[in-house]
Amino acid sequence: MNKLMGVAPRHPGLWVDITETDLHGNQTIQTLQTVTQGEAELSQLCSQLATLSQQGRWIVLISPPHIGYKHMLASAGVRMDRILLVHTKDEVETLWAMEKALTSGTSSAVVTWTSSLDARDSRRLEIVAKSARALGVVIEDVNAHLPHKHQLVNATLTSGAGNFCSFH
C-alpha cells in the first residue's frame, strides 16, 4: 500500500517540477548606482519586472523613494496586485528585508533602495546571492554621503495661543 509509483513524490505540494536552478538559487544581485533616486534605473527594469509579475509571485520594492514608481510600473504592464511595498526604518532593516525576500521563494524580484553599501554589506549580499531565489537589484544612492541641505523655505511666526513657529 505504501509503494511509490515511479519517481513521483508522495506529497502533493511536491508534484511541481522543480528545476535545478530553482533548488540552488544561483541568482545574482545587481547593484546600480544612481543620482536620480533610481528613477532611470527602475524605468530600465520595468519590462523585466512586467514579465516577472506574470509568474504570480511578488515583486518586492523595499524603501522606494517618491519618484512616481507606481505610474511607471503600471504603464509598463507590471501587475500591480503583485507589488509588495516594504518600508524600513534603517539600513540594517533594509538589508535584512532584502535577504528574507530573496531567499523566501515567494518573490520573483526584489528591488531595494539604499545608501552607499560598505564592504561588509556588499559581502553579505554576495553570500545571500548564493541562496537567492529571485532577481535582486540594489539601487544605491551615490549622493547619500553628502550632508542634507535643510533649508527653511517660508518660516513664519503664527499668531495664536503661545509662541509657536510654523514652517511651511
Side-chain angles (χ1 to χ4, degrees):
M1 287 186 104
N2 265 343
K3 292 182 183 179
L4 289 176
M5 302 209 43
V7 292
R10 297 176 71 167
H11 189 274
L14 299 176
W15 290 347
V16 178
D17 187 22
I18 299 175
T19 63
E20 195 68 22
T21 305
D22 289 337
L23 287 175
H24 300 294
N26 234 4
Q27 296 284 340
T28 60
I29 298 175
Q30 187 177 12
T31 301
L32 306 172
Q33 294 186 336
T34 184
V35 293
T36 62
Q37 292 187 322
E39 187 173 5
E41 292 76 11
L42 185 61
S43 66
Q44 292 172 354
L45 289 171
C46 278
S47 62
Q48 188 175 11
L49 294 177
T51 303
L52 291 172
S53 71
Q54 302 306 317
Q55 294 178 354
R57 296 191 299 167
W58 293 109
I59 304 294
V60 182
L61 305 178
I62 302 174
S63 299
H66 300 290
I67 56 172
Y69 61 86
K70 290 178 186 177
H71 176 69
M72 192 183 314
L73 293 173
S75 63
V78 175
R79 284 182 52 194
M80 297 308 285
D81 63 329
R82 296 283 81 206
I83 298 293
L84 180 65
L85 292 177
V86 178
H87 298 284
T88 59
K89 63 181 178 189
D90 57 20
E91 293 298 315
V92 173
E93 205 172 87
T94 299
L95 293 175
W96 178 84
M98 182 176 196
E99 179 180 340
K100 294 302 175 188
L102 284 170
T103 58
S104 70
T106 59
S107 307
S108 294
V110 180
V111 182
T112 303
W113 283 262
T114 185
S115 61
S116 296
L117 296 174
D118 60 12
R120 180 177 173 227
D121 293 336
S122 295
R123 178 65 183 139
R124 178 180 176 182
L125 290 178
E126 286 176 16
I127 293 169
V128 169
K130 292 179 181 179
S131 59
R133 300 181 68 194
L135 168 71
V137 179
V138 176
I139 299 177
E140 197 176 359
D141 187 4
V142 295
N143 295 327
H145 67 282
L146 298 175
H148 295 290
K149 296 178 182 175
H150 296 293
Q151 295 180 347
L152 300 177
V153 179
N154 191 11
T156 58
L157 182 64
T158 60
S159 61
N163 293 325
F164 296 104
C165 284
S166 168
F167 298 100
H168 302 281

